[in-house]
Amino acid sequence: MCDALGIINFEDACVDITGLMDYRPASAISFLGRYRLIDFMLSNMTNSGISQIEVFIKDKPRSLIEHLGNGRQYNINSKRGRLSILYGENRIMSDVYNHDIANFMDNIQYIEEVNKPYVIIAPSYMIYQIDFNEVLKYHAEKNSDVTVIYKSTDNAKEEFIGCDTLSMDKDKRIVTFEKNRGKYKTRNVSLEAYVMTKKLFLELVRKAANTSSLYWFKDILADSCEDLRINGYAFKGTVYCINSLRSYFKANIELRTHAKARELFKEDWPIHTRTNDSAPSQYMPEAKIRGCSIANGCHIEGNVENCVIGRNVIIKSGAVVKNSVILPGAYIGEGAKLDHVIVDKAAIVNHIKKLVGTDDSPIYVKRRDRI
């Protein structure tokens, strides 16, 4: 049982999933046909025994609120647990002032009221599997003020762009925080997941608010390296950082395979999500399917290869869809040819017969568009 308050934070400017974030926050973006990005971090917390969880929303709250509901599907203890969805109440005239510290200050009484000694805070756009009990144990053993979960990568020139990187001494104490600008191959990348006492968390939030009206929580941590004992906790498993359209596309396409999916999905660590009572998908005699992950409720007549297909998607006869991500409710008309394309919810691809993107630049078809 992880005796901590779980906080799922929203993303900063380093996360720009072009197109998809025009209609919903990053946490509510559909993933692998049946999940939302937030499902993975929320499941990490509930599987770790965290029963008090607060989800902070920056903007466009409707789709996330609909998905989370009362949190029952995440196996939160119905008697002692609670899932709260919190939103900044002040009218924000400029986006630069709409940051996590402002939202924490707006809702600080709800944080204070939770009777938990520790706070575990993490974003939803970092996807990985972790038991926070192990992190909390490490935090206590190191006698840390703050523990930061990080991932060592040798691909920092292409991945984790804009994320914080950590410089540490031999005892894993963090000396500095820096931004990953893609200049170096090997970096220790912060997963922006932090463990500390609730008392210290509240002190840092108030200190940040008094220091600058533009400070994020990560900024006050960076300022506190000399004053606090901030240690790094090395995470050695698979991490997907979904902070761009390219990384979103790459993660979906990779995880459709059993080999990659086994790195993230474990039998003893379920990924909870809101269920849907769609009928089984229908595959017509002329349909050809290979290497795909397909959700329920689809009707497929065409040729589909190496794709992730969401619920209730229709792909008509003669259509050829390859290396693409099709979100729920989309319609792909007869004879359409799609390759390296992301089709948003309820979009109709009927008149344009050929769309071809690349791994680095997939084509995006916006929500409810008709092309």
Side-chain angles (χ1 to χ4, degrees), residues 134-144:
E134 297 298 321
V135 186
L136 200 55
K137 180 180 177 182
Y138 176 89
H139 178 80
E141 290 174 350
K142 285 287 188 177
N143 195 28
S144 302

Side-chain angles (χ1 to χ4, degrees), residues 67-78 83 272-273:
H67 179 71
L68 295 180
N70 61 9
R72 181 174 56 187
Q73 66 270 27
Y74 295 100
N75 200 30
I76 295 174
N77 187 300
S78 60
L83 175 67
H272 303 287
T273 189

Side-chain angles (χ1 to χ4, degrees), residues 185-296:
K185 182 178 180 181
T186 303
R187 296 279 91 178
N188 294 318
V189 179
S190 168
L191 302 186
E192 296 179 28
Y194 315 118
V195 178
M196 68 203 77
T197 64
K198 191 182 79 170
K199 178 183 177 182
L200 177 59
F201 174 74
L202 292 171
E203 289 175 359
L204 289 173
V205 168
R206 291 188 173 100
K207 182 179 179 182
N210 291 329
T211 301
S212 171
S213 60
L214 299 183
Y215 256 33
W216 288 72
F217 189 76
K218 61 171 69 175
D219 295 321
I220 200 64
L221 276 186
D223 283 358
S224 304
C225 287
E226 293 185 2
D227 302 324
L228 299 175
R229 184 173 182 82
I230 306 178
N231 285 97
Y233 175 91
F235 177 74
K236 301 189 186 321
T238 299
V239 176
Y240 286 95
C241 173
I242 313 298
N243 64 350
S244 67
L245 197 65
R246 173 188 172 276
S247 61
Y248 171 80
F249 177 81
K250 179 177 181 286
N252 273 277
I253 295 299
E254 284 190 4
L255 287 169
R256 68 181 169 74
T257 66
H258 288 293
K260 281 293 183 180
R262 280 196 295 267
E263 297 177 7
L264 191 63
F265 295 90
K266 309 291 183 181
E267 290 186 7
D268 61 345
W269 201 263
I271 306 300
H272 303 287
T273 189
R274 182 173 182 171
T275 57
N276 189 297
D277 293 331
S278 300
S281 290
Q282 294 179 312
Y283 305 96
M284 298 299 102
E286 66 272 27
K288 296 180 180 179
I289 316 293
R290 192 175 77 174
C292 294
S293 174
I294 300 177
N296 293 344

Side-chain angles (χ1 to χ4, degrees), residues 82-95:
R82 185 180 68 180
L83 175 67
S84 301
I85 303 172
L86 302 175
Y87 188 80
E89 296 178 0
N90 292 335
R91 185 179 181 89
I92 304 297
M93 301 305 294
S94 174
D95 190 57

Side-chain angles (χ1 to χ4, degrees), residues 102-168:
N103 278 265
F104 294 153
M105 289 298 294
D106 283 347
N107 296 281
I108 202 161
Q109 74 174 89
Y110 302 108
I111 301 172
E112 291 174 329
E113 289 172 357
V114 176
N115 187 25
K116 297 290 182 182
Y118 291 99
V119 165
I120 296 176
I121 176 172
S124 59
Y125 73 92
M126 295 282 192
I127 293 179
Y128 54 99
Q129 180 206 89
I130 191 169
D131 186 346
F132 285 115
N133 289 288
E134 297 298 321
V135 186
L136 200 55
K137 180 180 177 182
Y138 176 89
H139 178 80
E141 290 174 350
K142 285 287 188 177
N143 195 28
S144 302
D145 293 314
V146 181
T147 296
V148 180
I149 303 173
Y150 72 93
K151 170 72 175 176
S152 295
T153 180
D154 59 1
N155 196 26
K157 284 191 174 183
E158 298 180 4
E159 307 295 337
F160 302 101
I161 302 299
C163 298
D164 285 345
T165 61
L166 311 176
S167 297
M168 293 177 285

